[in-house]
Amino acid sequence: PEWEARIPHRFSCSNHGATVELEGDHQKFFSKGLESGITQLSIPMDLVSADLQVNLDESSSSDIVIFDEWSTTARRSLRGIKTARTLTPKDEGPFTMLVVRVSDKRGHSPTYSARELSNHVFNDKLNMADQFRACSNDKLIFKKAENGSDVAGGVVDIVVDMDLSTALDSTVCVNAADNALLNHDVGEYTHTMYICPAVVDFGNSVGVAVVNGYKSWFSDTYGSSTFVQMHEIGHNLLFSH
């Protein structure tokens, strides 16, 4: 098709932060075409390598969601490939939230303890879980992850093997946390909140989320703000600004 000639052998995209480079067979992946300024991608952060690349030829690329014409209608890559995730379907609910408290080997940690974070997300008088339930007439339910041996009150405490103060942007905190989670029993969950220490550079943001994804990450104490939590998780639920 004519549009194929307009697709470079490698190209990049950005989400108000670091540029992500897409490698692999672009013609095959974008089989229905793409249009500059129109086509949008929602790329789960766990598909992004440490050097900020995404391989479209990997089976996990089936998790990338393609948006057309800035609409809220998305079409998944129809490649017929299933991944080995333990995540339960995120489109039906009820949802299960895992909160990841991220510290580093230099002793940089979020201000609040794991127990405090659990209260801020699930138990306080004003909390994210209750507010989503109230705003949806009891239809949008977020439960705390609790079937992993390393999870307490929906929160897992991890230490990443790096100095997060040297991170170029906040995605480094998330990628390092995902690597560390491989060594923890966290059970099954549908969504993840990452609470990063204050030394992590979030630029002009206090939180970031994957649109129509399952990850959101926060700068230290902002992860305890019900308003910020619901704002970012709203992006997971396909809400825009």
Side-chain angles (χ1 to χ4, degrees):
E2 181 182 347
W3 63 264
E4 286 190 359
R6 301 197 301 269
I7 301 180
H9 292 297
R10 64 193 296 199
F11 62 97
S12 60
C13 58
S14 177
N15 183 22
H16 309 295
T19 297
V20 176
E21 197 167 63
L22 304 180
E23 298 281 0
D25 188 342
H26 304 112
Q27 275 80 15
K28 181 178 179 181
F29 187 84
F30 295 103
S31 59
K32 296 184 181 299
L34 57 83
E35 187 172 349
S36 178
I38 298 296
T39 304
Q40 300 181 78
L41 300 181
S42 176
I43 304 176
M45 287 308 305
D46 60 332
L47 303 188
V48 182
S49 67
D51 53 358
L52 300 179
Q53 292 186 341
V54 175
N55 189 344
L56 299 179
D57 295 333
E58 294 286 346
S59 61
S60 56
S61 67
S62 61
D63 284 352
I64 297 175
V65 179
I66 305 173
F67 296 83
D68 290 324
E69 299 179 354
W70 303 101
S71 70
T72 56
T73 301
R75 54 181 172 86
R76 283 199 179 273
S77 171
L78 303 178
R79 305 183 69 178
I81 301 173
K82 295 183 179 180
T83 64
R85 295 185 184 282
T86 59
L87 302 179
T88 54
K90 65 180 173 56
D91 296 322
E92 299 176 0
F95 303 126
T96 306
M97 179 66 73
L98 175 69
V99 180
V100 182
R101 183 177 183 269
V102 186
S103 302
D104 70 10
K105 66 179 182 180
R106 297 293 185 184
H108 301 123
S109 298
T111 299
Y112 296 117
S113 67
R115 176 173 293 189
E116 289 172 318
L117 289 174
S118 177
N119 287 332
H120 298 163
V121 177
F122 302 107
N123 302 322
D124 283 353
K125 185 174 182 180
L126 181 65
N127 68 74
M128 175 275 294
D130 284 350
Q131 290 304 301
F132 271 127
R133 181 191 292 265
C135 290
S136 64
N137 195 26
D138 291 333
K139 291 183 172 61
L140 184 53
I141 310 298
F142 278 95
K143 299 179 179 180
K144 65 183 71 172
E146 55 187 0
N147 62 347
S149 60
D150 292 330
V151 179
V155 183
V156 59
D157 227 333
I158 67 170
V159 179
V160 300
D161 188 25
M162 67 173 297
D163 180 357
L164 287 174
S165 67
T166 65
L168 295 178
D169 59 49
S170 61
T171 61
V172 175
C173 176
V174 176
N175 291 339
D178 283 341
N179 288 333
L181 282 174
L182 296 175
N183 299 315
H184 291 268
D185 176 15
V186 293
E188 294 187 350
Y189 53 92
T190 63
H191 290 72
T192 318
M193 293 174 56
Y194 301 81
I195 312 299
C196 301
V199 295
V200 176
D201 184 6
F202 273 73
N204 294 324
S205 301
V206 297
V208 184
V210 179
V211 177
N212 198 38
Y214 59 89
K215 292 184 177 182
S216 57
W217 54 102
F218 305 84
S219 177
D220 197 23
T221 55
Y222 289 101
S224 293
S225 163
T226 301
F227 169 78
V228 178
Q229 293 167 6
M230 294 185 70
H231 177 106
E232 299 304 340
I233 295 168
H235 291 315
N236 291 162
L237 301 173
L238 256 180
F239 288 101
S240 299
H241 286 143

